[in-house]
Amino acid sequence: MTTKALTESQITKKVEPLNLPKNIKRTIVEDAIAFNVTAKQLDEAIERVITGYSFSRVEPCDAAGVVAAQSIGEPGTQMTMRTFHYAGVAEINVTLGLPRLIEIVDARKIPSTPTMTIYLENEREDKSDISNYAFNKELAQKVAWNIEATTIDHIADVTVDISYVRIIVDLKKRQMGRRDITFDDVLTKLHEKMDSKCRISDAPEINQIVIEPAGSDSPYRDLFQMDKKLRDITLKGIDSIKRVVMRKESNSPDDEYILYTEGSALEQVIQVEGVDMARTTTNNINEIFEVFGIEAARNAIISEATNTLNEQGLEVDIRHIMLVADLMTSDGEVKQIGRHGISGEKASVFARAAFEVTVNHILDAGLRGSVDSLQGVTENVIVGQPIKMGTGDVRLIAKPQLLESDKN
Amino acid sequence: MTKSKLLEHNMVPYHEIIVGEEVEALLEKYKIKKEQLPKIRSDDPIVLEIGAVPGDIVKITRKSQTAEEALFYRLVIETIV
């Protein structure tokens, strides 16, 4: 009836109640405004969008899992079997390729090369503000030293003097200054961490600490044990983080400093002053699960898996990976895809037997008198019945009452 | 840093407890019992943060890369360890 173009509020009012994803709705509104559509045109556009959208949806009884498995599996065959890449980032070794993908779906507790990407606080608007950790080199370096584990070997020469049964620690002033550690810091840490069986004497004027075993029957054995222990003490920083590399990232919007680490300790790192905890991540999915919960772990699985695939130049639709991540996290904890996870917890005896350790599963089922209700795909393939997917799930239902009435 | 900052992490979507009619509407929509929902453990850091207890249903508003926003529901369960 009317050929006048609709106003923005009229369009929004019409589009908002539709049962479509947010981004599609937004596109409709934007385009409708851009093209000055009339009410009739908008109705037609909406109708077409809805038709198109319903075509793109997964149909009931579709084998979404099998499609996902193949969509990830096929590109997987093209991955490099073994890659020990220095992933672009200043010589930090990161496992990539197939080994990494396996690690993700196996939900390993600790990845073979744990690494963190630490962002620094950049809350101040003004980039030249010196209190801004992300843009101030000195502050960023300071945070790095607070995170990287410093052991005695980094800041001193340790000599085991056998003839006098003692350990001499010659502290190096320059290294200590760089890492912002004082003589007293070292002394208190040593007193705290070394056991009571030794005597620690100091000579601050020549930067030396002498450690001797005290009151022991076998001083020589103790001497070497002490030496070993001394080298294991973390004087400053976080234990499991062996190295921190600072880089000015030119592809990030404002050239901020980002720290990359070898080793991961999410819980401790996010408490370090100057660290932007909202953006800091690790490649240790289990750690993310413990600190940020199951939903963050799901997001981590998705991003780690997509990044691993993309890095190898493979494009897998994210929906497949999302399905895998949803499955792995559906029980509130990160489960692996495998014997001890998804496949191992299936309800059907046949499905489990078809996967791994066949005899054990069948034997157990026999002992317990388990019943297999043949609901899944694998079981039905084994017994030779149509599977309950696609047309196999369609059944005829007859209402007996209706049949009765037909007789009359 | 204080615990309440957990919710601000980029990877943590918005969680909220839903009650009453919203729960019924959800279960009616999918024609399921609440035990059939995906689970979230009662010792999950975010569950502790929003103060949900076993039996509650948590509504999660995910940022989806395909649909921009996706709703997901989890049932809080007792942690078995």
Side-chain angles (χ1 to χ4, degrees), chain A residues 171-367:
Chain A
L171 292 160
K172 289 182 277 192
K173 261 230 161 81
R174 237 185 99 232
Q175 298 296 334
M176 283 168 68
R178 227 157 64 93
R179 288 174 187 255
D180 197 19
I181 300 175
T182 64
F183 187 87
D184 290 330
D185 287 343
V186 179
L187 207 60
T188 35
K189 257 282 172 328
L190 289 185
H191 274 294
E192 187 184 308
K193 293 283 168 72
M194 296 295 281
D195 53 35
S196 48
K197 274 196 292 184
C198 63
R199 189 167 57 244
I200 300 170
S201 47
D202 55 307
E205 55 284 350
I206 51 166
N207 265 315
Q208 212 173 54
I209 298 174
V210 177
I211 306 167
E212 293 166 287
S216 158
D217 326 327
S218 50
Y220 281 104
R221 202 189 63 204
D222 282 1
L223 187 69
F224 287 107
Q225 274 177 356
M226 273 163 47
D227 180 46
K228 206 163 166 278
K229 195 163 179 197
L230 179 67
R231 288 171 205 269
D232 282 342
I233 295 174
T234 307
L235 297 168
K236 189 179 178 175
I238 297 158
D239 250 339
S240 49
I241 295 188
K242 300 285 171 255
R243 214 155 61 88
V244 177
V245 175
M246 189 172 79
R247 290 222 337 169
K248 191 167 190 160
E249 215 51 83
S250 46
N251 59 6
S252 88
D254 327 283
D255 280 359
E256 55 180 332
Y257 287 102
I258 298 171
L259 308 179
Y260 297 93
T261 70
E262 213 176 288
S264 174
L266 187 61
E267 196 165 8
Q268 285 115 296
V269 167
I270 58 174
Q271 290 170 28
V272 173
E273 204 192 326
V275 170
D276 183 356
M277 78 104 76
R279 294 184 294 158
T280 296
T281 58
T282 165
N283 70 351
N284 185 337
I285 289 161
N286 194 52
E287 234 171 42
I288 292 181
F289 168 56
E290 276 165 12
V291 179
F292 291 118
I294 192 72
E295 279 292 319
R298 173 187 173 270
N299 283 330
I301 293 170
I302 294 171
S303 68
E304 286 290 321
T306 12
N307 290 344
T308 310
L309 288 160
N310 288 347
E311 191 273 336
Q312 300 263 312
L314 304 167
E315 288 228 355
V316 174
D317 194 293
I318 192 164
R319 277 160 265 228
H320 299 310
I321 298 165
M322 276 159 50
L323 181 70
V324 171
D326 271 336
L327 207 59
M328 286 175 73
T329 56
S330 68
D331 272 0
E333 59 189 6
V334 183
K335 275 194 311 187
Q336 63 154 260
I337 309 258
R339 201 181 324 176
H340 304 289
I342 312 286
S343 301
E345 283 170 20
K346 282 184 178 168
S348 159
V349 180
F350 283 137
R352 272 181 282 124
F355 178 62
E356 269 177 3
V357 282
T358 312
V359 178
N360 292 5
H361 281 302
I362 293 180
L363 197 64
D364 276 357
L367 285 171

Side-chain angles (χ1 to χ4, degrees), chain A residues 44-65:
Chain A
E44 198 182 329
I46 288 174
E47 198 179 304
R48 287 204 192 175
V49 169
I50 288 177
T51 323
Y53 177 70
S54 54
F55 267 127
S56 75
R57 301 216 308 180
V58 173
E59 282 166 29
C61 302
D62 203 348

Side-chain angles (χ1 to χ4, degrees), chain A residues 10 20 22-23 34 41 47 51 58 86 93 107 134 175 189 204 232 239 257 263 325 351 367 396 401 404:
Chain A
Q10 281 174 306
L20 288 172
K22 232 182 173 177
N23 51 349
Q41 286 170 325
E47 198 179 304
T51 323
V58 173
Y86 293 95
N93 186 12
Q175 298 296 334
K189 257 282 172 328
D232 282 342
D239 250 339
Y257 287 102
L367 285 171
L396 267 179
Q401 304 98 296
E404 292 293 326

Side-chain angles (χ1 to χ4, degrees), chain A residues 26 277 280 294 299 330, chain B residues 9 11 39 44 68 74:
Chain A
R26 202 189 49 228
M277 78 104 76
T280 296
I294 192 72
N299 283 330
S330 68
Chain B
H9 195 275
M11 283 196 296
K39 314 292 188 296
D44 190 280
E68 200 167 304
R74 285 179 188 273

